[in-house]
């Protein structure tokens, strides 16, 4: 076995989080967002957790969707509803149609896809994205009024509009949801426009809420919720956590699914006065027992955490000494162990009474946990534990 850090995914935690959303958003279908290598958790390993538990799967790229179809064939699973919410080319759409993957139509460029589908003789299920105030992908109401999506009316030979969706701009950073409510009003207007101008049926599936809105803005839950970060047991933000307690009356249970651990490469003593790491930014004030861990920013441990971070060994905090390197961390284990035997350090996760959360690691690195998690190296070994 190689000496390398690894990631553990807790199946029990994932099941808990799904149950939380089944209860919070009762009535709505529960979909999981597996983009960004499943927020760094690993697409394949997360499929093991999510595939039978959720009602729909959202990814950003055609490649991710096709990887899900390949995983389903390999493991003899029934095909789940999979929707590509990111950019797709006309050629991608033909291939996705063949694999029964749905795609999002978000702008007038989708007319190219109609031509490609006709040429290939394929039919595609589509969800129309409305830009209700994020300023990102989607038809605006002004665009709809100008007729930008009217082409759907004459596209029924190759396209079935199964859903209409939008995405919130400002639900995580606030405790007042005024902007989100305005977006919801725009959405209702947009759906009516699609119905009157583009021939979209009244029974079309409507979806809008990501994690935060699903938790704190009940009218946003509509027909299905698209839960990303919270399905991995992470709160979108401190504001969302506060608001959820107020809106729901109790704090829903979210359990972090991922732990990140590293074995030691070597445990040894450095004498008082020794320097540690590049730039000699740390000098040992006393004899110091250190563990060299074979993990660094190449693996996704943020270099900006240098000088602030700690890891856990035997339930004790151990400071990261000096700079985070490409492939190494050096941590002070003087008081965490009593000898120089190999040890295991927890970089993210719980050890005894102590925990290092993804949020804490991200705050050391002056970023959000969305970024830290999606930067966890795809090369890291990931295993599902009960
Ligand atoms: C990323 C994303 C989500 C999930 O967001 P979370 O905050 O992680 O729940 C939902 N919908 C769309 C369109 C997204 O891009």
């Amino acid at each position: 076995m190689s000496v390398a850090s690894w990631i553990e995914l807790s199946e029990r935690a994932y099941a808990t989080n799904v149950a939380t959303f089944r209860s919070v958003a009762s009535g709505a279908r529960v979909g999981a967002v597996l983009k960004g290598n499943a927020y760094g958790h690993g697409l394949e390993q997360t499929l093991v957790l999510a595939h039978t538990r959720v009602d729909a799967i959202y990814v950003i790229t055609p490649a991710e969707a096709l990887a899900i179809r390949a995983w389903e064939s390999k493991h003899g699973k029934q095909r789940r509803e999979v929707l590509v919410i990111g950019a797709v080319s006309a050629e991608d759409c033909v291939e996705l149609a063949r694999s029964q993957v749905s795609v999002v139509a978000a702008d007038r460029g989708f007319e190219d896809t109609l031509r490609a589908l006709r040429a290939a003789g394929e039919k595609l299920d589509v969800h129309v994205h409305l830009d209700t105030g994020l300023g990102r992908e989607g038809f605006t109401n002004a665009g709809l009024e100008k007729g930008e999506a009217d082409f759907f009316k004459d596209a029924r030979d190759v396209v079935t509009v199964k859903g209409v969706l939008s995405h919130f701009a400002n639900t995580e950073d606030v405790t007042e949801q005024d902007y989100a409510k305005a977006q919801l009003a725009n959405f209702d207007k947009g759906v009516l426009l699609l119905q009157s101008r583009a021939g979209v049926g009244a029974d079309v599936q409507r979806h809008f809420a990501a994690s935060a809105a699903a938790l704190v803005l009940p009218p946003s839950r509509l027909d299905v919720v698209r839960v990303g970060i919270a399905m991995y047991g992470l709160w979108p933000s401190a504001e969302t956590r506060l608001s959820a307690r107020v809106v729901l009356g109790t704090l829903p249970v979210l359990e972090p699914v991922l732990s990140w651990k590293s074995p030691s490469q070597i445990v040894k003593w450095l004498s008082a006065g020794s320097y540690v790491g590049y730039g000699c930014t740390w000098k040992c004030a006393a004899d110091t027992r250190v563990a060299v861990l074979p993990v660094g920013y190449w693996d996704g441990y943020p270099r900006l955490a240098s000088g602030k971070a700690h890891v856990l060994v035997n339930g004790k905090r151990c400071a990261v000494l000096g700079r985070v390197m490409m492939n190494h961390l050096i941590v002070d284990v003087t008081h965490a162990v009593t000898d120089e035997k190999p040890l295991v350090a927890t970089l993210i996760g719980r050890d005894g009474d102590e925990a290092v959360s993804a949020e804490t690691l991200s705050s050391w690195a002056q970023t959000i946990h969305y970024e830290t998690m999606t930067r966890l190296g795809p090369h890291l070994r990931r295993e599902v534990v009960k």
Side-chain angles (χ1 to χ4, degrees), residues 33 35 39 85 129 136 167 172 210-211 226-230 370:
V33 183
K35 66 188 178 189
Y39 288 58
I85 58 175
H129 200 133
R136 207 172 73 179
H167 194 43
E172 290 89 355
S211 298
R226 302 187 306 268
V227 186
I229 198 128
Y370 286 82

